[in-house]
Structure formats: structure tokens, C-alpha cells
Amino acid sequence: MSTLLLVRHGLTAMTGPVLAGRTPGVHLDERGHKQAAAVAERIAVLPLNAIVTSPLERCVDTAEYLLSGRDLELQVDERIIECGYGDWTGRPLKELAREPVWKVVQSQPSAARFPNGESLSEVSARAVSAVRDWNARLGEDAVWVACSHGDVIKAIVADALGLHLDQFQRIVVDPCSVSVIRYTDQRPYVLRANDTGGDLTGFVAPKRKGRRRHAADATVGGGAGTGSV
């Protein structure tokens, strides 16, 4: 059973008022650095097999805090990069909310494609594929982190919950929140979502038993966190 901790990057000057997308050179601001240091302290209790990050600077900045003090190399995976918002990149959200596509994004994300950009279905497919690939590569007892972006994480969580992509807007992913998914040979289990302050010691990789684990064992230590959706 591999355990994935999904961490959204910390705040930047563009987070909130502007759709940063893949705008280059967007680093954490002072608030984001504090958030990244805090989430790294929480995750420090866990032995990790890998830290994988989106290539965008705000995610790399966050992941480097998680890497501190560990004998690991940061792994960059283009498949968990931010959605390609195309012509929407860098525009104010209040302005985008007046665009016809905005309603589709909110009510039927599976049908949404951003102007000259990516579709949310494509985002989901590449992100879930990346997770499955890393799970297979790291092995079933691995505990690892993927540092990514809000819509990407929402798509991964929705897949783990067995939700249609059209339901993914019901999932909330705050900056530097932690969402935890345990993958088994039967199904994924979402153990925690949008957690911004809970204790993470319960997610140390479980010791292997002689017989295959019962499904209930997959949720040990995985109660709803203080920041659960």
C-alpha cells in the first residue's frame, strides 16, 4: 500500500486575484515561505521515499522546504504541472468570471477547454497517470510527496474518490494543505483532505503482515483531519 501526500504550493503574490497558471518566475511570497516551512515541519515526522514536484517555481520553492534534512533528490515531473490555461494565463479572476467558459469550468469541468490551452480532462488524465507511475516505481510500501497545484490535486483526489470529474469543484485545496491517499490493490482510500494543521504521524508506512491487509487496515491513522473537506 503506497501512501501519497499531496501538497499544494504556498501563497504567491498572484494567488487569489490572478490566474497565475504557468506564468514563469512566480515564487512564494513571505506568507508562502512561512506556510512551506510549517508544512515541512509537519511532514518531517515521516520517512519519505520520494519528493516529486511540478516544475513551476512556486512548487519547487515549497518542495525544497520538504527536502531539507533528507537524503533525497528532488524529482521534477512535468505531468503534475499546473493546468495550461492558455489565453486565461495572467488574467484577473474577477474578469475571467464573466467569460462564458467560466460557467462550464464550474458546472461541467469535463467539458471545459481553456482558450488555446488544455482541457481539464487532459489535466486529470496526465496527473493520475503520473501518480500511478510513481506508485509502481516506488513500491507498495512507499510514502511519498507530490507538490502540485490546486486543480491538479483536486483531479487526483476526485479520481481516488471515484468521482466524475464534473464533481471535482466540490473539493477544496488550500495553499500548503496536505491531502493523503493510500493506494491498495483493491482501491484508493482518501485518508485526509485539505488538512492544514493535523498530526501526520499516523501515516508512517504500516509494517507488512504475513497475510494481505484487510481494507480496514488501510485507513488506520487516516481519520478526518482538522482541515478536512
Side-chain angles (χ1 to χ4, degrees), residues 12-164:
T12 75
M14 296 180 76
T15 307
V18 177
L19 188 64
R22 299 180 185 177
T23 303
V26 179
H27 289 271
L28 300 182
D29 62 14
E30 183 178 353
R31 301 167 301 165
H33 281 288
K34 289 180 180 178
Q35 289 175 323
V39 75
E41 184 176 355
R42 294 173 59 210
I43 293 175
V45 299
L46 300 177
L48 299 177
N49 296 87
I51 299 174
V52 184
T53 183
S54 156
L56 295 180
E57 292 91 341
R58 55 193 184 272
C59 282
V60 174
D61 289 348
T62 304
E64 285 178 344
Y65 278 92
L66 305 177
L67 193 66
S68 179
R70 298 182 185 272
D71 186 22
L72 292 172
E73 291 186 5
L74 196 59
Q75 305 293 324
V76 176
D77 193 328
E78 292 277 352
R79 293 173 296 179
I80 60 171
I81 195 172
E82 178 66 287
C83 177
Y85 293 117
D87 295 344
W88 281 25
T89 302
R91 292 177 60 187
L93 290 176
K94 63 181 181 180
E95 178 182 298
L96 294 173
R98 297 192 290 269
E99 296 282 352
V101 177
W102 180 272
K103 292 182 179 179
V104 181
V105 171
Q106 300 303 317
S107 62
Q108 194 181 2
S110 65
R113 177 177 293 278
F114 296 96
N116 293 314
E118 197 173 18
S119 75
L120 285 169
S121 294
E122 289 168 341
V123 174
S124 177
R126 63 170 166 80
V128 171
S129 175
V131 167
R132 299 289 183 171
D133 181 41
W134 280 101
N135 283 342
R137 189 184 313 184
L138 295 171
E140 62 179 16
D141 294 326
V143 178
W144 63 287
V145 169
C147 185
S148 190
H149 308 268
D151 282 347
V152 178
I153 293 174
K154 285 160 61 176
I156 294 169
V157 173
D159 172 78
L161 288 170
L163 295 178
H164 193 281

